[in-house]
Amino acid sequence: MRLGMLTACLPQWSLERIAGWATDNGYEALEVAVWPGTGGRDFEAAHLPVADFGPQQVDETKALFERHGLELSAFAYYENNLHPDLRRREEIRTHLKHAIDAAQALGVPHVGTFIGRDWTRSVADNLAEGQRVLPELVDYAGERGVKLIVENCVMEGWHPDGYPGNLAYSPELWEWMFSLGFYLNWDPSHLTWIGIDPVETIAPHIDRIVHAQAKDVELDPVARNRYGFFGKVDKGDNPFDMGWWRYRVPGLGQVDWPKVVDRLYEHGFTGTLSVEHEDPVWGGDDERITQGLRIAQRTLRPLIVG
């Protein structure tokens, strides 16, 4: 198992700068954000130009990772592959294929994405649509030696009423997407707030957990008594503000990291555990973000066999 980090928390930094910082601070791998450009969400970042990725970019990227002694564990392009706007869906599909092509050129084994959801239609209709349109993406990746990995994020902010916007949030839905050929970028934080014990999901699905994200979550039961499980009705200008929980860096929330890492080891996980920093306490500027990453590293490093 390797300790990595997702680069999206530092959208204004160059990949060279992130790689140097990561090496100096005890990280072994990078999960590289490859959105087309920084956008409206904090976690969008463009750290490699995968839409225009020629031989020069391949050579420069390989040299960068060799120079810093890091592994490139995955590309990250988490977008809605079932978007209701078909033109937007095609843009996402096209860029995801660019990411897959760049991954093939670099020998990167995984490209991360979301299943997504058409929020104007029922879950049943979305599953039928997914079975129709998603296998072509899986085949495109497979032909190039790349696995598509889906993070089990609920993406409640994508739905106008705060319901799941990414149909990969539960083991029941994982089994559906596995049948289409997807793999899992397993994240315990999302499971925790929706009431699923993350540790109990590892053993039954370990053959499909090829990459994992390390993000924690802090629950506020008192606030939940006011808003209910589905969160605030009035979320202001932040559709992801549920009001009774928030993401934290590992060690500052409810996730039992010693048990999580031990169970991953027990069942043979040999991939990257990648810190995904979306902690509002340790956010807002580069100094606080990097301090949050140091807290995560200090929490997880003692648990990972060197």
Side-chain angles (χ1 to χ4, degrees), residues 3-246:
L3 180 60
M5 55 172 278
L6 174 59
T7 66
C9 60
L10 294 165
Q12 304 306 320
W13 285 27
S14 70
L15 187 58
E16 175 79 52
R17 184 180 179 188
I18 293 173
W21 185 93
T23 299
D24 290 344
N25 287 274
Y27 285 95
E28 302 164 299
L30 295 181
E31 180 184 1
V32 176
V34 295
W35 273 263
T38 55
R41 301 200 301 274
D42 290 342
F43 55 79
E44 290 182 350
H47 285 132
L48 278 178
V50 295
D52 183 24
F53 207 70
Q56 180 178 345
Q57 286 82 9
V58 171
D59 292 343
E60 290 174 351
T61 304
K62 287 182 176 179
L64 185 156
F65 277 80
E66 289 173 4
R67 187 162 61 249
H68 292 285
L70 291 169
E71 179 176 322
L72 205 172
S73 66
F75 284 156
Y77 177 56
Y78 292 96
E79 280 291 356
N80 188 350
N81 285 290
L82 295 177
H83 200 288
D85 181 335
L86 295 184
R87 183 169 62 179
R88 176 63 183 140
R89 187 191 295 184
E90 187 56 33
E91 291 173 354
I92 292 167
R93 191 181 193 85
T94 297
H95 191 73
L96 182 58
K97 288 183 175 180
H98 289 322
I100 293 166
D101 291 340
Q104 178 190 26
L106 286 170
V108 176
H110 308 124
V111 172
T113 190
F114 287 140
I115 297 295
R117 177 181 183 171
D118 177 348
W119 56 83
T120 70
R121 303 173 68 185
S122 70
V123 172
D125 286 347
N126 272 270
L127 298 184
E129 178 72 353
Q131 288 174 212
R132 186 181 71 84
V133 302
L134 296 176
E136 189 265 340
L137 284 171
V138 173
D139 291 344
Y140 187 90
E143 290 164 1
R144 288 155 180 80
V146 175
K147 291 182 172 71
L148 286 181
I149 57 174
V150 175
E151 183 189 350
N152 54 286
C153 183
V154 182
M155 293 306 292
E156 64 286 346
W158 279 354
H159 193 287
D161 294 318
Y163 301 146
N166 173 38
L167 297 181
Y169 58 85
S170 69
E172 177 187 20
L173 287 162
W174 300 350
E175 290 158 9
W176 167 78
M177 73 179 191
F178 295 159
S179 74
L180 303 183
F182 289 96
Y183 290 79
L184 188 62
N185 193 6
W186 181 86
D187 185 326
S189 65
H190 310 297
L191 294 163
T192 300
W193 79 261
I194 65 173
I196 296 173
D197 182 348
V199 173
E200 294 304 314
T201 70
I202 294 172
H205 305 102
I206 193 63
D207 61 330
R208 287 278 166 167
I209 300 174
V210 295
H211 199 273
Q213 287 188 328
K215 186 162 75 264
D216 217 325
V217 63
E218 182 181 10
L219 310 181
D220 183 348
V222 174
R224 185 175 58 207
N225 286 340
R226 171 172 172 77
Y227 299 119
F229 176 84
F230 297 105
K232 292 180 177 180
V233 173
D234 182 5
K235 296 180 175 63
D237 60 358
N238 180 7
F240 290 92
D241 181 12
M242 301 293 277
W244 66 270
W245 59 266
R246 60 183 180 175

Side-chain angles (χ1 to χ4, degrees), residues 287-303:
E287 183 177 355
R288 293 187 70 82
I289 291 167
T290 52
Q291 183 57 42
L293 290 168
R294 291 188 185 98
I295 293 169
Q297 194 273 347
R298 289 198 298 268
T299 298
L300 297 172
R301 181 74 265 169
L303 307 175

Side-chain angles (χ1 to χ4, degrees), residues 1 186 199 202 256-267 269 273 299-300 302-305:
M1 196 185 308
W186 181 86
V199 173
I202 294 172
D256 186 338
W257 291 103
K259 186 174 287 186
V260 162
V261 174
D262 182 62
R263 195 62 55 88
L264 287 169
Y265 269 123
E266 178 183 359
H267 294 287
F269 178 76
L273 182 60
T299 298
L300 297 172
L303 307 175
I304 296 175
V305 177

